[in-house]
């Protein structure tokens, strides 16, 4: 690959600005299972308040500042708000048949999409797709011009999601129903980025009629959107939606709760069918007959990193000793309760993940840790571990890791920092020996690989540098074949663990408790998208 092309790809890799770390994306409970199979307890207690027939009720916390998805950064808006009403060109496949974790996409607004060559994609708008009718605005077909308008608006300079389309040069309407995207360079993550819950298709007439931040939500999607003064959101199935069988339920009501504790009270009181819960809350709810599902959250969680730009971690033997000293599963069990670990690269499907044998060989071997220190003449090495204070669990997790490192002879001083101080010290100034704390949300493979792992990555805070890994990252960054790309990504992860630069000791997730009324809940929210809601069912629906 030409050096100029590599540089351009690194510059516009869709990883986030490392100076931006929205608190809404930091998990209150970082819980990820090794598999995503819902946990079900038989005989769930019926809700004492008769629920509306055909309506799913979900207790949620948070809110969004406004309704304009192209100008908004809010997982509340994408998981429980206006994003759910809209179509994107592509969406994330969901349902019990999709192995998790997954970034597999399928058509949403489109009827077909194709890769013409390395830098040309074509999308056919579904011929039955129509805009919803609204006051003074009749329903009409969705056209390729509508798609061009939406994508051009999404990449408006200064808007927060321009990186989704940074690889795109031109967006053209070839026919009334076919859109062509011509790229600056090959981008195998493009389909994933087009499935982003922010990449919604908007009707030009609505956007141009008034302030889109407060305008009614008029979409081509499966739901009609209403939001009350209390913050309650009601999604009602659009009776003229053009995809048969979608959505499954007649309505979803997202009921505002001031906290997870309040949400649990609403669930117990029979006024909700689902609510997010902590592990402590779940222990009690499981005994009461509720069921639960653990939702994986790729690209979110905690990162452990070692600074290779200075002693002691400029020495790979000392870095390997540090990882051998750690029992990440034990630290996770003692703090967040459940979860998984890995390098942290968002993967398209489970075959991309590093194997368990490699993880076992990397960690939890105190004898090997001591031997590596002796080999490096680094016994009793002193360093400071920066711990981000995003809550009690985060500090407890950092303390557990520090204690494990001390257990093999490292002289560890903990420096617990506030959110702002951590962001500045680690992600801006890169002044640390070692750190553990949240990373800015990263949603795509290239966002992680080009941003965090490549030697010239904009978010490479560890100083990681390896020519072989750089070459593998550059090769996968233009590889169109998913299986071959997965092989390259697995090799990158194996080499990263061998070099002992960084890993994610906590990959985030959320546990959702629910009554026996809920069925077919697919535990996935890729990129913060709420595609699971169109497929979830309830027992009493007509």
């Amino acid at each position: 690959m030409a050096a100029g092309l590599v540089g351009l790809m690194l510059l516009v890799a869709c990883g986030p600005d490392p100076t931006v770390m929205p608190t809404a994306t930091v998990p209150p409970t970082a819980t990820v299972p090794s598999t995503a199979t819902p946990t079900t307890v038989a005989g769930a207690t019926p809700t004492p308040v008769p629920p509306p027939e055909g309506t799913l009720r979900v207790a949620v916390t948070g809110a969004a500042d406004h309704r304009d998805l192209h100008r908004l950064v809010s997982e509340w808006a994408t998981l429980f708000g206006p994003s759910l009403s809209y179509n994107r060109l592509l969406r994330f496949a969901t349902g019990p048949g999709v192995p998790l974790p997954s970034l597999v996409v399928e058509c949403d607004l489109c009827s077909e999409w194709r890769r013409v060559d390395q830098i040309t994609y074509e999308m056919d708008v579904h011929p039955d797709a129509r805009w919803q009718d609204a006051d003074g605005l009749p329903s009409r077909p969705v056209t390729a011009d509508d798609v061009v308008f939406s994508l051009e608006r999404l990449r408006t300079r200064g808007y927060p999601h321009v990186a989704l389309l940074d690889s795109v040069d031109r967006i053209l309407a070839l026919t009334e129903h076919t859109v062509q995207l011509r790229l600056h360079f090959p981008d195998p993550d493009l389909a994933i980025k087009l499935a982003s819950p922010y990449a919604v298709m908007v009707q030009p007439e609505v956007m141009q009629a008034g302030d889109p931040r407060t305008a009614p939500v008029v979409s081509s999607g499966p739901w009609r959107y209403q939001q009350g003064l209390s913050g309650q959101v009601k999604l009602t199935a659009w009776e003229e939606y053009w995809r048969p069988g979608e959505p499954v339920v007649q309505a979803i009501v997202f009921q505002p709760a001031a906290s997870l504790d309040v949400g649990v009270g609403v669930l117990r009181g029979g006024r909700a069918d689902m609510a997010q819960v902590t592990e402590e809350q779940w222990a009690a709810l499981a005994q009461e007959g509720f069921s639960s599902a653990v939702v994986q959250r790729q690209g979110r969680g905690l990162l452990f990193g070692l600074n290779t730009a200075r002693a002691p971690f400029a020495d790979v033997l000392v870095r390997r000793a540090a990882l051998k000293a750690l029992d990440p599963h034990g630290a996770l069990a003692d703090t967040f309760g459940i979860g998984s670990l890995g390098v942290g690269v968002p993967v398209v499907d489970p075959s991309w993940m590093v194997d368990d044998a490699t993880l076992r060989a990397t960690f939890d071997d105190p004898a090997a840790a001591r031997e590596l220190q002796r080999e490096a003449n680094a016994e009793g090495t002193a360093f400071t571990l920066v711990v981000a204070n995003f809550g009690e669990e985060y500090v407890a997790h950092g303390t557990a890791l520090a204690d494990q490192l001390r257990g093999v002879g490292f002289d560890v001083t903990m420096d617990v920092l506030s959110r702002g101080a951590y962001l500045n010290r680690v992600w801006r100034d890169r002044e640390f020996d070692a750190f553990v704390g949240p990373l800015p949300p990263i949603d795509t493979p290239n966002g992680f690989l080009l941003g965090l792992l490549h030697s010239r990555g904009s978010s490479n805070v560890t100083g990681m540098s390896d020519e072989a890994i750089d070459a593998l990252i550059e090769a996968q960054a233009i590889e169109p074949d998913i299986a071959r790309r997965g092989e390259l990504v697995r090799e990158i992860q194996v080499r990263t663990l061998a070099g002992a630069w960084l890993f994610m000791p906590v990959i985030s997730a959320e546990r959702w408790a629910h009554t026996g009324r809920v069925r077919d809940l697919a535990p996935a929210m890729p990129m913060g998208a709420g595609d699971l809601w169109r497929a979830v069912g309830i027992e009493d629906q007509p």
Side-chain angles (χ1 to χ4, degrees):
M1 180 188 300
L5 180 56
V6 175
L8 182 59
M9 294 177 69
L10 289 165
L11 179 65
V12 302
C14 67
D17 182 341
T19 64
V20 179
M21 191 179 293
T23 56
T25 64
V26 178
T29 54
T31 54
V32 182
S34 57
T35 64
T37 304
T39 304
T40 302
V41 179
T45 305
T47 53
V49 178
E53 188 176 43
T55 298
L56 174 68
R57 302 161 304 164
V58 185
V60 300
T61 60
D65 294 337
H66 57 80
R67 298 177 179 177
D68 187 350
L69 273 299
H70 290 169
R71 292 191 288 176
L72 187 64
V73 178
S74 165
E75 279 209 342
W76 185 92
T78 62
L79 287 171
F80 319 118
S83 180
L84 302 177
S85 185
Y86 289 101
N87 285 125
R88 296 100 76 195
L89 275 174
L90 298 167
R91 66 189 185 187
F92 293 105
T94 189
V98 179
L100 299 177
S102 172
L103 291 172
V104 173
V105 301
E106 62 186 14
C107 269
D108 190 15
L109 182 66
C110 68
S111 59
E112 182 183 352
W113 68 283
R114 54 197 167 269
R115 178 176 167 275
V116 179
D117 56 42
Q118 277 200 316
I119 60 168
T120 307
Y121 289 75
E122 290 180 358
M123 310 274 175
D124 296 331
V125 177
H126 197 289
D128 297 329
R130 299 186 64 85
W131 295 106
Q132 295 171 8
D133 60 300
D135 291 341
L137 198 65
S139 175
R140 68 166 178 82
V142 181
T143 67
D145 285 334
D146 296 331
V147 173
V148 173
F149 173 87
S150 298
L151 295 180
E152 291 289 5
R153 187 174 189 272
L154 178 67
R155 66 173 180 171
T156 299
R157 185 181 297 274
Y159 279 19
H161 306 294
V162 292
L164 293 172
L165 298 177
D166 264 345
S167 63
V168 178
D169 179 16
R170 291 178 297 166
I171 308 169
L172 304 171
L174 297 183
T175 69
E176 186 177 0
H177 289 100
T178 300
V179 176
Q180 183 185 84
L181 282 73
R182 293 278 294 175
L183 310 187
H184 295 290
F185 52 79
D187 182 5
D189 283 348
L190 179 64
I192 297 171
K193 291 186 281 188
L194 290 174
S196 164
Y198 297 104
V200 296
M201 298 296 105
V202 295
Q203 189 173 17
E205 299 94 303
V206 175
M207 296 295 104
Q208 295 165 347
D211 187 349
R213 294 173 295 183
T214 57
V217 175
V218 181
S219 71
S220 58
W223 305 101
R224 289 188 181 271
Y225 180 88
Q226 294 176 292
Q227 184 170 3
L229 295 177
S230 67
Q232 183 184 85
V233 168
K234 183 174 184 180
L235 303 176
T236 305
W238 182 30
E239 63 278 2
E240 297 181 24
Y241 188 56
W242 36 276
R243 286 199 181 275
E246 296 183 16
V248 174
V249 299
Q250 290 183 332
I252 299 180
V253 174
F254 294 110
Q255 301 177 172
S259 66
L260 296 188
D261 287 337
V262 173
V264 169
V266 172
L267 179 67
R268 280 190 168 124
R271 290 174 288 129
D273 305 299
M274 289 181 59
Q276 185 185 348
V277 301
T278 66
E279 289 308 294
E280 183 179 2
Q281 292 166 340
W282 169 240
L285 289 167
Q287 298 302 314
E288 298 170 28
F290 289 91
S291 304
S292 79
V294 178
V295 180
Q296 300 188 58
R297 303 304 308 276
Q298 293 199 77
R300 289 145 173 79
L302 273 67
L303 191 70
F304 179 90
L306 302 173
N307 192 342
T308 67
R310 63 192 189 194
F313 297 118
D315 188 333
V316 66
L317 296 179
V318 182
R319 296 200 302 271
R320 288 173 179 165
L323 266 56
K324 289 285 188 184
L326 298 179
D327 173 13
H329 287 109
L332 193 52
D334 292 341
T335 55
F336 291 100
I338 57 175
S340 70
L341 68 142
V343 174
V345 183
V347 298
V348 172
D349 64 55
S351 70
W352 287 34
M353 298 174 68
V354 66
D355 60 278
D356 289 340
T358 299
L359 291 174
R360 287 194 300 270
T362 303
F363 303 103
D364 196 18
D365 191 343
R370 294 186 183 94
E371 179 58 35
L372 285 165
Q373 289 179 80
R374 285 192 291 269
E375 186 179 346
N377 195 25
E379 295 169 282
T381 294
F383 69 90
T384 299
L385 175 65
V386 170
V387 177
N389 184 1
F390 279 62
E392 292 181 3
E393 297 95 338
Y394 295 84
V395 177
H397 192 83
T399 301
L401 297 183
D403 288 343
Q404 291 171 359
L405 288 159
R406 294 186 186 111
V408 301
F410 283 109
D411 180 5
V412 182
T413 300
M414 276 182 55
D415 193 356
V416 179
L417 300 182
S418 67
R419 297 179 183 215
Y422 163 75
L423 177 62
N424 291 336
R425 175 99 161 260
V426 173
W427 294 96
R428 187 191 68 187
D429 300 333
R430 305 180 185 188
E431 278 294 325
F432 63 89
D433 297 327
F435 77 90
V436 59
L439 73 166
I442 295 178
D443 289 316
T444 64
N446 273 340
F448 194 100
L449 297 169
L450 287 170
L452 277 174
L453 298 191
H454 196 282
S455 62
R456 289 190 282 147
S458 61
S459 300
N460 181 348
V461 295
T462 66
M464 175 177 172
S465 181
D466 184 281
E467 290 183 1
I469 291 178
D470 281 355
L472 288 166
I473 291 173
E474 292 164 18
Q476 69 77 39
I478 60 171
E479 176 55 60
D481 183 78
I482 290 178
R484 174 56 184 156
R485 192 179 181 204
E487 293 173 1
L488 295 170
V489 172
R490 282 198 306 275
E491 186 174 353
I492 292 165
Q493 294 175 86
V494 170
R495 287 175 177 265
T496 298
L497 291 173
W501 290 281
L502 57 80
F503 76 102
M504 285 184 69
V506 180
I507 300 174
S508 179
E510 302 166 0
R511 186 183 291 277
W512 287 79
H514 59 85
T515 69
R517 188 168 177 256
V518 178
R519 61 177 176 83
D520 298 331
L521 177 63
M525 298 173 177
M527 293 185 81
D531 291 315
L532 75 164
W533 302 118
R534 62 179 164 81
V536 68
I538 50 179
E539 288 296 342
D540 61 359
Q541 61 195 64

